[in-house]
Amino acid sequence: MRQHRRPAGELESTILAALWAANEPLTPAQVLAALDDDLAYTTVMTTLARLHDKGAVSRERAGRAYAYTPASDAADVVAEQMRRLLDRGDHASVLARFVTTLDDADGRVLSDLLRVPRRRRPS
Amino acid sequence: MSLDVYVPFVAAFAFGTIGVWVAQRLRPAQATWLLSVGSVVTSACSLCSLLLLTWAMVARTSLGGSLGDWSTAVFRRHDPVSVGVSIPAVVLLVIGCLRMARTFRQHAHNLSGAYRTCRELPASVGELVVVADDTVAACALPGRPGRIVVSRQTLARLTAAQRRAVLAHERSHLRHRHYLHHVAVALAAAANPLLRAAPRATADATERWADNDAALHTNGPDSVVTALCQLSGQLSGQLSGQHSAAGRRVAALRQPIRRSGWSVMTLATLALTGVVLSSAEAAADADQLWHRADAITRADRGTGVTGVTGVTGVTGVTYSAALHHHPAQPAQ
């Protein structure tokens, strides 16, 4: 079941992630195309405007619309702190990383599982 | 002191083996709560038992006699705890406390670092923080509010559905405060080595929990699974360890647990309540013994005793501390 009303923060994250993934400025229409979501065009526009008001994205004219680029000033602050946290080694309990426990063998297991996704396997 | 004092050790052993095994077969939210509450209860009760055993030893020695005005002979006569049990108890208590202090310091340091990072972010930064650093794949950073930190490379390699899966996964970690479960279990396991399997099981359970939430958010497990694969293929060189947790995660996503698990949770609650009650019983026994010693001493001397009756409800903390501070005090 798709949730139809989502908190504004989640929308902003989704759209920001799409902008970061794109590697070039995106217009609202392009953002909408880059999302796997049944969002309305106006929702994307409003969210982009809100992100711009906060200073999280910058924009420039691209024809009749604006093209948006994510602002990167926060990245440096965090990257340094994250590196310090991660360097200490014992971070598992604080930083729940998405792929923290994967290694080469896991990659193979995953590829196998993906190739035959519906077959029963011992866990 | 009767056998009650040993119940928590048996319980911790049972929980560290059977409890962990059972948790892997429960739904992730139930498994996480069972593991954290069960670990904390059995660990706290076994620490309490170690304190009581330590107290029993200190009270019967001349050192104990020097601390209060009572007859150490009463303890020797009425307390069934032998020195052969008490000395290992003291050693285990000291080791457990030191390990717990070290674990606490590590986690407090890391958590405060994470909170500080979240606090120092510019106001323009919302829930999602994107870093140019490739060594960070995607993680949940606890704070007020917590943030999702993802590297730019990670986002670029994923499809829109996979990005949503990863964000939903990390959001679930933050929303359900999984790091608190991790810290609680880590402390419990540091204090009691019988629970050493619990931290890994808790990490697995919270990953399953977040994966399930992400699958719900993206209409099925496929995006989560492909995102896991994509990121592990990309980052395999930077990842270490001999786990195969990801395989278990994918299997759990493919075959979610259907049974409700409430009967298991009820049984576990009853068992843990039993452990707490037996600990309370052991403490009450110790308290009674204390009063007895006090009363006999009073009767022997025919005088009112000061300074002892005020210290009832003993847990032994006072005395184990005194052991370090007045080692050379003469016997009375």
Side-chain angles (χ1 to χ4, degrees), chain A residues 6-15 50 54, chain B residues 126-128 171:
Chain A
R6 275 187 283 157
E10 287 187 26
L11 266 180
E12 288 176 14
S13 303
T14 308
I15 287 175
R50 197 161 51 224
K54 285 184 182 175
Chain B
E127 177 197 45
L128 176 68
R171 197 175 287 132

Side-chain angles (χ1 to χ4, degrees), chain B residues 23-105:
Chain B
Q24 286 162 359
R25 280 144 192 86
L26 287 174
R27 287 176 178 179
Q30 286 174 337
T32 306
W33 279 103
L34 175 67
L35 284 165
S36 57
V37 173
S39 299
V40 168
V41 167
T42 52
S43 185
C45 287
S46 54
L47 269 186
C48 184
S49 287
L50 290 177
L51 281 169
L52 287 172
L53 291 170
T54 303
W55 171 78
M57 193 190 80
V58 174
R60 68 165 66 200
T61 59
S62 53
L63 172 66
S66 71
L67 294 167
D69 194 7
W70 70 77
S71 157
T72 56
V74 176
F75 284 96
R76 276 196 287 274
R77 214 176 313 129
H78 294 285
D79 192 349
V81 178
S82 71
V83 177
V85 172
S86 287
I87 290 174
V90 177
V91 173
L92 287 174
L93 180 67
V94 171
I95 293 174
C97 288
L98 288 176
R99 277 166 48 101
M100 203 160 74
R102 199 184 57 189
T103 308
F104 179 80
R105 210 181 50 227

Side-chain angles (χ1 to χ4, degrees), chain A residues 13 81 88 90 93 98 102-103, chain B residues 107 110 120 127 138 239 241 246:
Chain A
S13 303
Q81 308 233 27
R88 249 202 310 274
D90 182 60
S93 62
F98 188 66
L102 294 174
D103 59 10
Chain B
H107 288 288
N110 289 355
E120 288 171 357
E127 177 197 45
L239 296 164

Side-chain angles (χ1 to χ4, degrees), chain A:
Chain A
M1 282 293 288
R2 185 177 293 276
Q3 291 168 281
H4 281 281
R5 282 202 51 87
R6 275 187 283 157
E10 287 187 26
L11 266 180
E12 288 176 14
S13 303
T14 308
I15 287 175
L16 207 52
L19 286 177
W20 275 104
N23 226 359
E24 57 179 6
L26 294 185
T27 62
Q30 287 169 320
V31 170
L32 190 57
L35 293 178
D36 162 56
D37 236 317
D38 50 2
L39 290 175
Y41 180 78
T42 48
T43 312
V44 175
M45 280 240 309
T46 320
T47 310
L48 281 169
R50 197 161 51 224
L51 284 169
H52 180 252
D53 288 344
K54 285 184 182 175
V57 298
S58 57
R59 67 184 180 188
E60 63 201 43
R61 275 271 170 211
R64 285 165 55 215
Y66 283 113
Y68 292 84
T69 319
S72 55
D73 56 342
D76 304 330
V77 182
V78 182
E80 182 49 39
Q81 308 233 27
M82 291 296 301
R83 205 176 294 112
R84 251 185 289 149
L85 274 175
L86 292 173
D87 279 351
R88 249 202 310 274
D90 182 60
H91 49 72
S93 62
V94 174
L95 305 173
R97 289 206 282 174
F98 188 66
V99 285
T100 186
T101 47
L102 294 174
D103 59 10
D104 288 338
D106 282 330
R108 275 200 301 281
V109 172
L110 283 171
S111 310
D112 292 350
L113 283 163
L114 283 173
R115 230 170 280 134
V116 277
R118 298 299 169 196
R119 219 176 71 193
R120 273 177 175 260
R121 276 178 172 269
S123 55

